[in-house]
Every structure is written in structure tokens, then in C-alpha cells.
Amino acid sequence: MLIAATHYQIDYADLSLILALVRGGSLARAAALLRVDVSTVFRAVRRLEAALGQTLFEKSRAGYLPTSLASNLAQQAERAEQALEAARVGVEQGGEVISGTVRLTCTDSVLQGLLLPALAQFMPQFPALTLELSTSNDFANLSRRDADIALRLTRTPPEHLVGRCLGSVAYQVCASAAYARQHQGRALADLAWIAPDDFLPDHPTVVWRREHLPGVRPSYRCNSMLSVTELVRAGLGVAALPDFLLDDALHPLGPALAGHDTALWLLTRPDCRALRSVVTLFDELGRHVQVKPSHTA
């Protein structure tokens, strides 16, 4: 319970009202969410603001905009909503329920190629568990406590994090089938190259290209390997791609880049090991994320 300076005690109905208006952005949509009429929502908001002695929403052309107070209350309402759902699931299943919110970060290529297939296998077993996903190449997400779990491609994970190596990832130079046919017999250095941009200066594929094709200047630069892959798939050129993104539409132009593979690490902060929701997700990811066995694990 939150108690304002007026000693008015906020209850679950008040939180539900605020959350509906934040989510809906208008009286009409909030009324639809709450299954009441518009006038009921309008009067309830006015009464609640009067009781609190503070403004919760500002009326504008865009609709009802929440104040910082309303935004904070809406966040607490979401947590209460999750707790209630966990209780309902517990009653239905007749046992202990894993609930809460876990924040996970990974690159967009790992999300698309490895994480989503894994989540589809086990997340339905945890209906009360909420997962917040963010895509980033930065280890600082965990260090700044912006995330609880990370999936990272690296050979040297930070020592202050704990985790396990899930396997190795190799890279191959690939093209679309049409591009490969059109440019058959040409040297790699003479093809149009697609590569990560300066945000990934130490990426294994960038290091390999500098060593073996120092004269090549990429025709396209992208800020993610997933974007690089999509440009190759569209027939715009060639690129060295991670093996977990390869499919029948991508034609390898040679063997894996020897000495330039990397590893997939599942990482978390030491303090997160006390949280059942984080430990549960961590263990499930360790079981279900499918990569090749690592030679260095």
C-alpha cells in the first residue's frame, strides 16, 4: 500500500484504474480495458486526484499523459498484477510458481538465431515469469545492473561476472545463391563486401578481413551482424557470418575462418544467484540454447 500525505490509502482498484489509463492513453480505451463506461473512468480519476491532492494525468491533444507520480504508480500496479497472476497460476497448478521479471540482454543476431528457438521450448512452462529483452553488444548492461542475464559472443568474458560457456561459434564467408552464381570464379577481394561498422572494431570477422584481405573496403557497413546477414541474403554482396545464422538461402564460399571462431557465454551477476527467477531462467537457457560444443570449454 502507498500512503499519500493526505493519508489516503491507495488500493488495488486505484492502481488498476491508473494502469488502464496509462496503457490506454484515453478515457475510451481505459474504459474498454476496465469494462466500464467512459464517465465512470472520468469520475474515478477526478476522485482519486482529489483524494491524493496531486495531479495524475495531464490532458492534451495526444490524450491523457501520466505525470511522474502516475507513471510510478503504474509500475507498481504492473508488479501487483504479476503477483496476482502468479497466485492464480499457483492455485491452478497446485504448487510453487516461478514468478517475477528477469531482464536479459543479447545481440540481435543471438536473439534471432539462438535465443528465440530456446524460449519457444520452455517459456510456456512459466506463465508467471516476465522476460524483458534488450539487444546490445555492451557488457556494461550487466555491470550497470541494467540486466540480470546476458548471452554474449566472446572468448574473454569479464571476470566479475559468473556463467558458463555454451559452445563455440564459427564464421564462414557466404553469399546468396544468385550472387554466388553471378560472380563464380572471382577472387574474394574483388567482390562487394558487407561488414560490421565501427561499433564492432574487434569483431572476429573484421580481424580476419584485415589480416587476409587488407585492401578490401566494404561496400556496406551495418551496426549488427543480423543486418549484415540480411544484406547478404538480399544478394548485395558477401560477408563472413556466424554459423548459427546460416540457412539454405546462404551459400558458403569456403570453409570456416580458421583461428577466428568465438564462444557463446551465458552470464549473470554474482548477486543474481540468490534470485529464483534469474536462476531458473539461467538454467533453462543453459539447457535449451543450442550451439556447437566448444573446443575450449
Side-chain angles (χ1 to χ4, degrees):
M1 294 290 181
L2 292 176
I3 303 179
T6 57
H7 302 294
Y8 177 80
Q9 291 189 334
I10 297 250
D11 59 21
Y12 187 74
D14 296 328
L15 291 177
S16 297
L17 170 68
I18 294 169
L19 184 58
L21 195 47
V22 169
R23 286 173 171 171
S26 71
L27 292 175
R29 286 192 287 270
L33 291 171
L34 295 171
R35 298 181 181 179
V36 297
D37 56 52
V38 172
S39 61
T40 298
V41 175
F42 177 75
R43 290 194 301 269
V45 171
R46 293 292 296 272
R47 281 197 301 268
L48 183 55
E49 288 182 329
L52 294 174
Q54 299 185 62
T55 300
L56 294 172
F57 295 91
E58 301 287 350
K59 185 72 169 67
S60 72
R61 291 183 179 180
Y64 277 69
L65 303 179
T67 62
S68 59
L69 174 60
S71 295
N72 290 334
L73 290 172
Q75 291 177 11
Q76 295 180 54
E78 286 187 326
R79 287 195 286 270
E81 187 178 65
Q82 292 168 5
L84 182 59
E85 178 60 22
R88 288 171 177 160
V89 172
V91 170
E92 293 173 1
Q93 296 183 351
E96 193 173 13
V97 175
I98 303 298
S99 64
T101 298
V102 180
R103 299 164 300 172
L104 189 154
T105 180
C106 64
T107 64
D108 55 0
S109 60
V110 169
L111 173 67
Q112 184 70 29
L114 297 172
L115 179 59
L116 293 183
L119 293 179
Q121 293 181 60
F122 69 83
M123 279 301 287
Q125 303 171 30
F126 302 98
L129 187 63
T130 300
L131 186 59
E132 293 183 356
L133 291 169
S134 67
T135 54
S136 167
N137 295 300
D138 190 5
F139 278 113
N141 291 79
L142 280 166
S143 301
R144 293 193 307 261
R145 300 175 180 269
D146 293 337
D148 305 309
I149 295 176
L151 281 166
R152 286 287 180 254
L153 293 170
T154 181
R155 279 290 180 192
T156 55
E159 294 183 359
H160 65 280
L161 301 178
V162 295
R164 69 179 72 159
C165 182
L166 299 182
S168 63
V169 174
Y171 296 87
Q172 285 182 271
V173 177
C174 298
S176 69
Y179 190 93
R181 286 194 303 270
Q182 184 180 357
H183 298 279
Q184 187 173 9
R186 295 182 64 186
L188 288 178
D190 297 330
L191 302 176
W193 276 81
I194 306 161
D197 62 17
D198 293 338
F199 285 101
L200 299 170
D202 300 319
H203 195 274
T205 63
V206 175
V207 174
W208 176 87
R209 195 185 74 249
R210 288 172 179 163
E211 291 178 1
H212 295 270
L213 301 170
V216 166
R217 296 293 178 266
S219 301
Y220 304 90
R221 294 181 185 272
C222 306
N223 65 354
S224 78
M225 286 305 297
L226 186 60
S227 299
V228 170
T229 304
E230 290 307 311
L231 266 66
V232 173
R233 200 187 306 276
L236 294 175
V238 302
L241 303 175
D243 52 15
F244 61 80
L245 289 179
L246 303 187
D247 56 30
D248 294 340
L250 298 169
H251 184 75
L253 301 183
L257 309 184
H260 290 82
D261 56 346
T262 188
L264 180 68
W265 280 85
L266 177 63
L267 300 165
T268 187
R269 304 191 313 273
D271 60 290
C272 285
R273 290 182 295 180
L275 302 174
R276 290 185 66 250
S277 56
V278 174
V279 171
T280 298
L281 182 61
F282 188 95
D283 290 342
E284 291 293 337
L285 289 171
R287 281 192 287 269
H288 289 90
V289 173
Q290 299 294 319
V291 289
K292 295 180 180 179
S294 175
H295 301 297
T296 61

